[in-house]
Short mmCIF file of all heavy atoms in Angstrom, two decimals:
data_model
loop_
_atom_site.label_atom_id
_atom_site.label_comp_id
_atom_site.label_asym_id
_atom_site.label_seq_id
_atom_site.Cartn_x
_atom_site.Cartn_y
_atom_site.Cartn_z
N GLN A 677 71.40 81.98 -107.95
CA GLN A 677 71.33 82.92 -106.85
C GLN A 677 71.84 84.35 -107.48
O GLN A 677 72.83 84.44 -108.05
CB GLN A 677 72.20 82.56 -105.73
CG GLN A 677 72.10 83.58 -104.49
CD GLN A 677 73.20 83.23 -103.37
OE1 GLN A 677 73.81 82.24 -103.54
NE2 GLN A 677 73.08 83.92 -102.34
N THR A 678 70.92 85.28 -107.27
CA THR A 678 71.29 86.69 -107.73
C THR A 678 71.44 87.59 -106.57
O THR A 678 70.92 87.36 -105.47
CB THR A 678 70.16 87.24 -108.68
OG1 THR A 678 68.92 87.21 -107.96
CG2 THR A 678 70.05 86.29 -109.93
N LEU A 679 72.18 88.71 -106.83
CA LEU A 679 72.47 89.79 -105.76
C LEU A 679 72.08 91.04 -106.32
O LEU A 679 72.07 91.33 -107.54
CB LEU A 679 73.97 89.71 -105.46
CG LEU A 679 74.60 88.51 -104.84
CD1 LEU A 679 76.02 88.69 -104.74
CD2 LEU A 679 73.98 88.22 -103.56
N THR A 680 71.69 91.98 -105.33
CA THR A 680 71.55 93.37 -105.72
C THR A 680 72.85 94.05 -105.41
O THR A 680 73.70 93.52 -104.68
CB THR A 680 70.47 94.02 -104.81
OG1 THR A 680 70.76 94.01 -103.38
CG2 THR A 680 69.01 93.22 -105.09
N LEU A 681 72.97 95.24 -105.86
CA LEU A 681 74.22 96.11 -105.59
C LEU A 681 74.37 96.25 -104.13
O LEU A 681 75.43 96.35 -103.48
CB LEU A 681 74.28 97.39 -106.38
CG LEU A 681 74.69 97.47 -107.76
CD1 LEU A 681 74.65 98.73 -108.43
CD2 LEU A 681 76.24 96.96 -107.73
N ALA A 682 73.11 96.53 -103.44
CA ALA A 682 73.15 96.72 -101.95
C ALA A 682 73.70 95.53 -101.19
O ALA A 682 74.46 95.67 -100.30
CB ALA A 682 71.86 97.12 -101.46
N GLU A 683 73.23 94.32 -101.70
CA GLU A 683 73.78 93.03 -101.02
C GLU A 683 75.34 92.87 -101.38
O GLU A 683 76.05 92.42 -100.45
CB GLU A 683 72.94 91.91 -101.56
CG GLU A 683 71.52 91.90 -101.11
CD GLU A 683 70.78 90.79 -101.79
OE1 GLU A 683 70.99 90.53 -103.06
OE2 GLU A 683 69.96 90.02 -101.11
N LEU A 684 75.73 93.18 -102.57
CA LEU A 684 77.20 93.16 -102.79
C LEU A 684 77.93 94.15 -101.98
O LEU A 684 79.04 93.81 -101.46
CB LEU A 684 77.39 93.52 -104.31
CG LEU A 684 78.88 93.44 -104.76
CD1 LEU A 684 79.47 92.00 -104.57
CD2 LEU A 684 78.99 93.86 -106.21
N LYS A 685 77.41 95.29 -101.82
CA LYS A 685 78.14 96.36 -101.02
C LYS A 685 78.28 95.86 -99.50
O LYS A 685 79.38 96.13 -98.85
CB LYS A 685 77.35 97.64 -100.99
CG LYS A 685 78.01 98.83 -100.33
CD LYS A 685 77.18 100.03 -100.47
CE LYS A 685 77.86 101.28 -99.69
NZ LYS A 685 77.05 102.53 -99.90
N SER A 686 77.27 95.18 -98.99
CA SER A 686 77.40 94.73 -97.59
C SER A 686 77.89 93.38 -97.44
O SER A 686 77.92 92.84 -96.16
CB SER A 686 76.02 94.94 -97.05
OG SER A 686 75.03 93.95 -97.65
N ALA A 687 78.25 92.75 -98.48
CA ALA A 687 78.77 91.33 -98.42
C ALA A 687 80.02 91.24 -97.65
O ALA A 687 80.86 92.02 -97.68
CB ALA A 687 79.01 90.84 -99.75
N ASP A 688 80.00 90.22 -96.69
CA ASP A 688 81.21 89.98 -95.85
C ASP A 688 82.05 89.02 -96.58
O ASP A 688 82.14 87.86 -96.38
CB ASP A 688 80.66 89.34 -94.48
CG ASP A 688 81.82 89.15 -93.53
OD1 ASP A 688 82.89 89.72 -93.67
OD2 ASP A 688 81.56 88.39 -92.59
N THR A 689 82.97 89.62 -97.46
CA THR A 689 83.86 88.87 -98.23
C THR A 689 85.28 89.42 -98.24
O THR A 689 85.40 90.64 -98.24
CB THR A 689 83.30 88.78 -99.70
OG1 THR A 689 84.16 87.92 -100.52
CG2 THR A 689 83.27 90.13 -100.36
N ASP A 690 86.26 88.62 -98.27
CA ASP A 690 87.74 89.06 -98.42
C ASP A 690 88.18 89.17 -99.88
O ASP A 690 89.16 89.83 -100.17
CB ASP A 690 88.59 88.05 -97.66
CG ASP A 690 88.30 87.95 -96.23
OD1 ASP A 690 88.29 89.04 -95.54
OD2 ASP A 690 87.97 86.89 -95.78
N LYS A 691 87.56 88.42 -100.79
CA LYS A 691 87.91 88.44 -102.17
C LYS A 691 86.74 88.20 -103.06
O LYS A 691 85.77 87.45 -102.78
CB LYS A 691 88.96 87.29 -102.49
CG LYS A 691 89.60 87.22 -103.82
CD LYS A 691 90.70 88.21 -103.81
CE LYS A 691 91.69 87.95 -104.97
NZ LYS A 691 92.84 88.83 -104.86
N LEU A 692 86.67 89.05 -104.12
CA LEU A 692 85.53 88.98 -105.16
C LEU A 692 86.16 88.69 -106.48
O LEU A 692 86.94 89.46 -107.02
CB LEU A 692 84.73 90.31 -105.13
CG LEU A 692 83.70 90.50 -106.37
CD1 LEU A 692 82.69 89.44 -106.15
CD2 LEU A 692 83.19 91.94 -106.40
N LEU A 693 85.82 87.52 -107.05
CA LEU A 693 86.07 87.14 -108.39
C LEU A 693 84.86 87.70 -109.28
O LEU A 693 83.83 87.06 -109.17
CB LEU A 693 86.50 85.74 -108.66
CG LEU A 693 87.68 85.20 -107.81
CD1 LEU A 693 87.91 83.80 -108.29
CD2 LEU A 693 88.91 86.02 -108.00
N LEU A 694 85.01 88.57 -110.19
CA LEU A 694 83.85 89.07 -110.89
C LEU A 694 84.13 88.97 -112.23
O LEU A 694 85.18 89.49 -112.93
CB LEU A 694 83.68 90.51 -110.46
CG LEU A 694 82.47 91.14 -111.11
CD1 LEU A 694 81.17 90.49 -110.65
CD2 LEU A 694 82.44 92.64 -110.70
N ILE A 695 83.18 88.35 -112.99
CA ILE A 695 83.15 88.26 -114.56
C ILE A 695 82.19 89.43 -115.01
O ILE A 695 81.03 89.46 -114.51
CB ILE A 695 82.60 86.88 -115.01
CG1 ILE A 695 83.68 85.84 -114.72
CG2 ILE A 695 82.32 87.00 -116.51
CD1 ILE A 695 83.31 84.39 -115.05
N VAL A 696 82.65 90.21 -115.84
CA VAL A 696 81.81 91.35 -116.40
C VAL A 696 81.66 91.14 -117.84
O VAL A 696 82.69 91.16 -118.58
CB VAL A 696 82.56 92.71 -116.06
CG1 VAL A 696 81.64 93.77 -116.56
CG2 VAL A 696 82.71 92.82 -114.62
N ASP A 697 80.47 90.95 -118.23
CA ASP A 697 80.14 90.93 -119.71
C ASP A 697 80.48 92.32 -120.36
O ASP A 697 80.51 93.31 -119.75
CB ASP A 697 78.72 90.58 -119.91
CG ASP A 697 78.46 89.04 -119.65
OD1 ASP A 697 79.31 88.40 -119.09
OD2 ASP A 697 77.42 88.54 -119.97
N GLU A 698 80.48 92.28 -121.77
CA GLU A 698 80.92 93.50 -122.48
C GLU A 698 79.77 94.39 -122.90
O GLU A 698 80.04 95.41 -123.45
CB GLU A 698 81.73 93.08 -123.71
CG GLU A 698 83.06 92.41 -123.36
CD GLU A 698 83.80 91.94 -124.62
OE1 GLU A 698 83.33 92.25 -125.74
OE2 GLU A 698 84.93 91.41 -124.50
N ASP A 699 78.48 94.06 -122.52
CA ASP A 699 77.40 94.85 -122.92
C ASP A 699 77.36 96.14 -122.07
O ASP A 699 78.02 96.35 -120.98
CB ASP A 699 76.10 94.13 -122.67
CG ASP A 699 75.84 93.75 -121.12
OD1 ASP A 699 76.39 92.66 -120.92
OD2 ASP A 699 75.38 94.51 -120.39
N THR A 700 76.81 97.22 -122.65
CA THR A 700 76.72 98.43 -121.98
C THR A 700 76.28 98.60 -120.63
O THR A 700 76.90 99.23 -119.68
CB THR A 700 75.80 99.53 -122.88
OG1 THR A 700 76.30 99.43 -124.23
CG2 THR A 700 76.01 100.90 -122.42
N GLU A 701 75.19 97.91 -120.30
CA GLU A 701 74.72 97.75 -118.93
C GLU A 701 75.69 97.28 -117.93
O GLU A 701 75.83 97.87 -116.81
CB GLU A 701 73.35 97.04 -118.84
CG GLU A 701 72.21 97.60 -119.59
CD GLU A 701 72.11 96.99 -121.13
OE1 GLU A 701 73.30 96.52 -121.59
OE2 GLU A 701 71.06 97.12 -121.70
N SER A 702 76.27 96.29 -118.31
CA SER A 702 77.29 95.58 -117.49
C SER A 702 78.50 96.47 -117.11
O SER A 702 78.94 96.68 -115.92
CB SER A 702 77.77 94.21 -118.02
OG SER A 702 76.77 93.41 -118.15
N GLN A 703 78.96 97.11 -118.17
CA GLN A 703 80.06 98.03 -118.03
C GLN A 703 79.70 99.23 -117.13
O GLN A 703 80.55 99.65 -116.33
CB GLN A 703 80.57 98.54 -119.35
CG GLN A 703 81.13 97.38 -120.26
CD GLN A 703 82.37 96.71 -119.58
OE1 GLN A 703 83.19 97.47 -119.04
NE2 GLN A 703 82.55 95.48 -119.74
N ALA A 704 78.50 99.81 -117.26
CA ALA A 704 78.10 100.79 -116.44
C ALA A 704 77.95 100.44 -114.95
O ALA A 704 78.47 101.15 -114.10
CB ALA A 704 76.66 101.37 -116.91
N ILE A 705 77.39 99.35 -114.67
CA ILE A 705 77.36 98.74 -113.33
C ILE A 705 78.73 98.55 -112.76
O ILE A 705 78.99 98.75 -111.58
CB ILE A 705 76.38 97.60 -113.17
CG1 ILE A 705 74.93 97.93 -113.57
CG2 ILE A 705 76.43 97.01 -111.80
CD1 ILE A 705 74.08 96.77 -113.58
N TRP A 706 79.54 98.01 -113.57
CA TRP A 706 81.00 97.66 -113.19
C TRP A 706 81.62 98.97 -112.80
O TRP A 706 82.46 99.06 -111.80
CB TRP A 706 81.85 97.03 -114.27
CG TRP A 706 83.26 97.05 -114.03
CD1 TRP A 706 84.21 97.48 -115.00
CD2 TRP A 706 83.91 96.55 -112.98
NE1 TRP A 706 85.42 97.36 -114.54
CE2 TRP A 706 85.40 96.71 -113.30
CE3 TRP A 706 83.73 95.94 -111.74
CZ2 TRP A 706 86.37 96.36 -112.40
CZ3 TRP A 706 84.62 95.50 -110.99
CH2 TRP A 706 85.96 95.71 -111.28
N SER A 707 81.46 100.03 -113.48
CA SER A 707 82.02 101.36 -113.11
C SER A 707 81.58 101.80 -111.72
O SER A 707 82.35 102.33 -110.95
CB SER A 707 81.65 102.43 -114.06
OG SER A 707 82.24 102.18 -115.29
N GLU A 708 80.29 101.49 -111.23
CA GLU A 708 79.66 101.85 -110.06
C GLU A 708 80.31 100.89 -108.94
O GLU A 708 80.68 101.38 -107.84
CB GLU A 708 78.21 101.65 -110.12
CG GLU A 708 77.44 102.12 -108.95
CD GLU A 708 75.97 102.07 -109.03
OE1 GLU A 708 75.46 101.96 -110.18
OE2 GLU A 708 75.23 102.13 -108.04
N ILE A 709 80.56 99.62 -109.34
CA ILE A 709 81.07 98.72 -108.38
C ILE A 709 82.51 99.09 -107.87
O ILE A 709 82.89 98.99 -106.76
CB ILE A 709 81.10 97.32 -108.82
CG1 ILE A 709 79.64 96.69 -108.97
CG2 ILE A 709 81.86 96.33 -108.05
CD1 ILE A 709 79.44 95.43 -109.65
N GLN A 710 83.28 99.53 -108.88
CA GLN A 710 84.72 99.97 -108.66
C GLN A 710 84.80 100.99 -107.57
O GLN A 710 85.83 101.16 -106.99
CB GLN A 710 85.29 100.41 -109.93
CG GLN A 710 85.52 99.36 -111.02
CD GLN A 710 86.12 99.85 -112.24
OE1 GLN A 710 87.36 100.01 -112.17
NE2 GLN A 710 85.46 100.02 -113.29
N HIS A 711 83.68 101.81 -107.33
CA HIS A 711 83.87 102.94 -106.36
C HIS A 711 83.20 102.45 -105.04
O HIS A 711 83.13 103.43 -104.19
CB HIS A 711 83.08 104.13 -106.99
CG HIS A 711 83.76 104.72 -108.13
ND1 HIS A 711 83.38 104.38 -109.40
CD2 HIS A 711 84.70 105.66 -108.25
CE1 HIS A 711 84.18 105.03 -110.29
NE2 HIS A 711 85.06 105.80 -109.58
N LEU A 712 82.80 101.26 -104.80
CA LEU A 712 82.33 100.83 -103.48
C LEU A 712 83.51 100.90 -102.51
O LEU A 712 84.48 100.09 -102.79
CB LEU A 712 81.64 99.38 -103.71
CG LEU A 712 80.43 99.30 -104.48
CD1 LEU A 712 79.97 97.85 -104.51
CD2 LEU A 712 79.39 100.18 -103.87
N GLU A 713 83.33 101.58 -101.53
CA GLU A 713 84.43 101.63 -100.52
C GLU A 713 84.83 100.29 -99.90
O GLU A 713 85.93 99.97 -99.58
CB GLU A 713 84.07 102.72 -99.34
CG GLU A 713 83.98 104.10 -99.84
CD GLU A 713 85.38 104.58 -100.25
OE1 GLU A 713 86.45 104.11 -99.74
OE2 GLU A 713 85.39 105.38 -101.26
N SER A 714 83.73 99.52 -99.78
CA SER A 714 83.97 98.10 -99.20
C SER A 714 84.92 97.19 -99.97
O SER A 714 85.49 96.31 -99.50
CB SER A 714 82.73 97.45 -98.85
OG SER A 714 82.00 97.24 -100.11
N LEU A 715 85.05 97.53 -101.27
CA LEU A 715 85.78 96.78 -102.08
C LEU A 715 87.09 97.45 -102.61
O LEU A 715 88.05 96.81 -103.09
CB LEU A 715 84.98 96.41 -103.38
CG LEU A 715 83.82 95.56 -103.23
CD1 LEU A 715 83.08 95.38 -104.54
CD2 LEU A 715 84.19 94.23 -102.63
#
Side-chain angles (χ1 to χ4, degrees):
Q677 180 185 3
T678 59
L679 298 176
T680 64
L681 272 179
E683 289 173 323
L684 179 63
K685 183 177 181 179
S686 60
D688 185 12
T689 181
D690 297 302
K691 190 80 163 183
L692 170 64
L693 299 187
L694 184 62
I695 292 174
V696 180
D697 285 12
E698 296 181 357
D699 58 272
T700 305
E701 295 92 339
S702 297
Q703 294 299 319
I705 297 177
W706 164 236
S707 298
E708 190 175 343
I709 290 174
Q710 291 181 77
H711 293 93
L712 293 178
E713 290 299 325
S714 60
L715 298 176

